[in-house]
Amino acid sequence: MNVFRDSRPAAADRPPRQPPPLPQPTTGLRQRLGELRGPGVRPRPLDARALAALAANPGCRRRSLLDGAGVDKAALAGALGSPAPFGQSQFALARGNSFEARVKADDGADLMRLLHERMDAGAAPPEPGAVAVPDLSAAGPEGRAARTALALREATTAGGWTLLDHPMLTLEVAGSPAYLEPDAVVVHPDGGWTVVEIKSFPMIDGAADPAKVGAAARQAAVYVLALERVAAQVAAATGRTVPVRDRVLLVCPKDFANLPTAEAVDVRKQLATTRRQLQRLTKVEEIAGQLPPGTTFDLRLADDGKTVTRSAEELAEAVEAVDAAYAPECLAACELAFHCRGRSRAAGAVESLGRGVRGELGGLRTVAEVLEAAGTGRAEDGTGGGRAGDGRTGDGSRGRTDCGAGADGQARTDATTGPYSRAGADDHPDTALSPDAPATEALRRAAALRGEALAAARGAQAEEAPCR
């Protein structure tokens, strides 16, 4: 049975568990990450959108390291010759900022009204002027995070409605702290906390674009995870259980006007997924320790601060020193996706076709291996002529294919060599590379069906051709 976290009974007889403190980078690690960025280069902070994309692909050590070190991936991609042509336009940013200011005007009167209507109608409505809006300004992200935690603790103890405008939260990511800034967090009179996401895409007739709502839910789930840590700290200090609601308030323009409307979005699924994926991330210190000595992603900008003086070849060598896990989904979430896609295609990796295809192919890692596995299956049926499209010449021998290089960098042109040979299959009858493996058997069947279809099509064309 699905139960909202804020509806569960509080365990008054169980002392709250204090979470471990956020790990701080050691002096050696901090120095190493600074070397990766380059001397004098300020780290680029992580936001919730980047964290959601990182959690969606936890196997990408390249992104984990670059994000953990604070490297500007957009500038790096441009220097590599593969810039990412995506991101919000200046018009969209200005429209979003204008709409957010409209929603938060008059101490968030419209925002608090919408939240009361959509998520807490049983509580006393927030009266004008009665909503507390604490000042969260402080020096640096660490200071703002501490000020936010103090404001949340005071608001929870005092009761009543409290609106925190752009609080600063912390979350452990790959062994180092990341600082996050949600649009708003509201403290309810019962002490519960709700994350508020303000977006500029419209809700037309009460419904918004599902893809955009999904992206906003994943982003909000990161904020909820960070807020849960603060709630545990407050509970340890006060002895009072603090419910962090796993429903967030999504505020958008209504239809085509600039008037705000809102809906409660359940993010329990995104919470579970993000929490699990973030736990799978490899520690940044471990990845950095495996790099060749002297590896750096420094662009070596000229005195104007814009011109890159380091060669693309050197940067590419540094980037390739860290393993990547490319998938087509990266194109909408990572600045280096076009560079990784080019390298993946050049290597003939099946990952460039999608995670679903990669999973279906089992131990086959390259397009060349896939084509050879399909052709190897034809070697056992004893036919000499071969079929169209099965990779054989008229005498039944293997013909050279243009499918690129295999994992060893050599084009495979002989069925008697390579991991799919008869001898290799006999030595490993149960592996995914065996001709009897399910993936190989499916490929052989697909190749046979393709050959039959092409032969039938050519026969039909021959019958329809006019006599000359």
Side-chain angles (χ1 to χ4, degrees):
M1 180 178 67
N2 294 329
V3 181
F4 287 113
R5 185 173 292 110
D6 52 4
S7 65
R8 299 166 187 159
D13 57 340
R14 183 175 58 196
R17 183 180 63 181
Q18 186 172 6
L22 279 172
Q24 299 296 326
T26 62
T27 303
L29 177 59
R30 189 182 299 111
Q31 180 179 358
R32 181 69 179 105
L33 297 182
E35 294 173 354
L36 291 176
R37 291 191 303 271
V41 179
R42 294 180 60 85
R44 187 176 183 87
L46 274 174
D47 57 14
R49 186 173 311 200
L51 279 181
L54 183 61
N57 191 9
C60 186
R61 297 163 66 91
R62 181 176 298 170
R63 175 154 194 169
S64 297
L65 178 65
L66 294 177
D67 283 345
V71 175
D72 188 347
K73 298 194 300 297
L76 180 60
L80 289 170
S82 303
F86 65 87
Q88 284 189 306
S89 65
Q90 293 299 321
F91 174 78
L93 289 173
R95 183 174 183 271
N97 293 335
S98 174
F99 178 69
E100 181 176 342
R102 167 73 176 81
V103 172
K104 294 180 179 178
D106 300 327
D107 291 337
D110 287 339
L111 172 60
M112 300 303 296
R113 174 183 57 81
L114 290 170
L115 186 138
H116 177 262
E117 293 175 356
R118 300 294 193 273
M119 301 190 66
D120 204 355
E127 299 294 335
V131 178
V133 185
D135 182 15
L136 303 179
S137 59
E142 298 89 348
R144 291 186 57 197
R147 182 67 187 91
T148 296
L150 178 61
L152 286 169
R153 176 179 173 179
E154 293 174 347
T156 303
T157 304
W161 294 97
T162 302
L163 172 63
L164 278 70
D165 185 9
H166 284 287
M168 182 66 70
L169 306 174
T170 57
L171 184 66
E172 178 185 345
V173 180
S176 61
Y179 295 93
L180 310 172
E181 187 176 356
D183 293 329
V185 172
V186 174
V187 180
H188 297 247
D190 63 356
W193 300 351
T194 295
V195 172
V196 177
E197 271 292 281
I198 303 175
K199 298 296 183 182
S200 59
F201 57 81
M203 285 188 183
I204 301 176
D205 293 334
D209 185 349
K212 294 181 178 179
V213 173
R218 290 189 293 272
Q219 184 176 344
V222 176
Y223 296 137
V224 174
L225 283 178
L227 204 59
E228 285 179 349
R229 185 175 189 87
V230 183
Q233 295 172 347
V234 171
T238 63
R240 176 180 178 180
T241 302
V242 181
V244 180
R245 300 174 186 254
D246 42 23
R247 290 193 304 163
V248 302
L249 186 72
L250 178 62
V251 182
C252 298
K254 183 179 181 180
D255 297 328
F256 299 100
N258 203 36
L259 299 176
T261 186
E263 289 295 336
V265 179
D266 190 338
V267 297
R268 285 176 295 179
K269 179 179 179 181
Q270 290 81 2
L271 267 173
T273 301
T274 304
R275 183 183 291 110
R276 181 178 66 254
Q277 300 292 60
L278 287 178
Q279 290 173 352
R280 292 177 54 195
L281 289 175
T282 306
K283 302 295 183 182
V284 172
E285 186 173 8
E286 177 183 340
I287 302 175
Q290 297 175 356
L291 293 177
T295 300
T296 177
F297 306 104
D298 184 14
L299 303 180
R300 297 173 188 165
L301 299 178
D303 294 338
D304 59 2
K306 298 180 180 179
T307 305
V308 178
T309 63
R310 193 176 179 192
S311 66
E313 291 75 14
E314 290 183 12
L315 287 173
E317 183 179 357
V319 169
E320 294 303 318
V322 192
D323 293 335
Y326 172 76
E329 294 82 359
C330 297
L331 294 174
C334 182
E335 294 86 344
L336 282 175
F338 288 89
H339 172 79
C340 297
R341 182 182 67 174
R343 293 305 176 102
S344 179
R345 287 179 173 177
V350 296
E351 284 83 355
S352 61
L353 303 177
R355 291 193 178 100
V357 175
R358 171 68 185 88
E360 292 290 339
L361 293 175
L364 306 175
R365 298 304 181 92
T366 67
V367 176
E369 292 177 351
V370 171
L371 296 177
E372 186 172 353
T376 301
R378 300 297 303 161
E380 299 180 0
D381 60 8
T383 59
R387 298 174 187 242
D390 66 358
R392 298 185 178 279
T393 59
D395 59 357
S397 62
R398 290 283 295 175
R400 183 180 180 92
T401 62
D402 293 328
C403 56
D408 56 359
Q410 301 293 328
R412 295 187 173 92
T413 59
D414 190 348
T416 62
T417 61
Y420 304 107
S421 65
R422 179 77 177 177
D426 292 340
D427 293 338
H428 305 282
D430 297 327
T431 64
L433 304 180
S434 168
D436 296 326
T440 306
E441 181 64 29
L443 289 169
R444 289 189 304 189
R445 180 59 179 163
L449 292 175
R450 177 178 180 274
E452 293 172 0
L454 290 175
R458 281 197 296 268
Q461 292 177 355
E463 292 178 358
E464 296 177 359
C467 297
R468 294 185 179 179

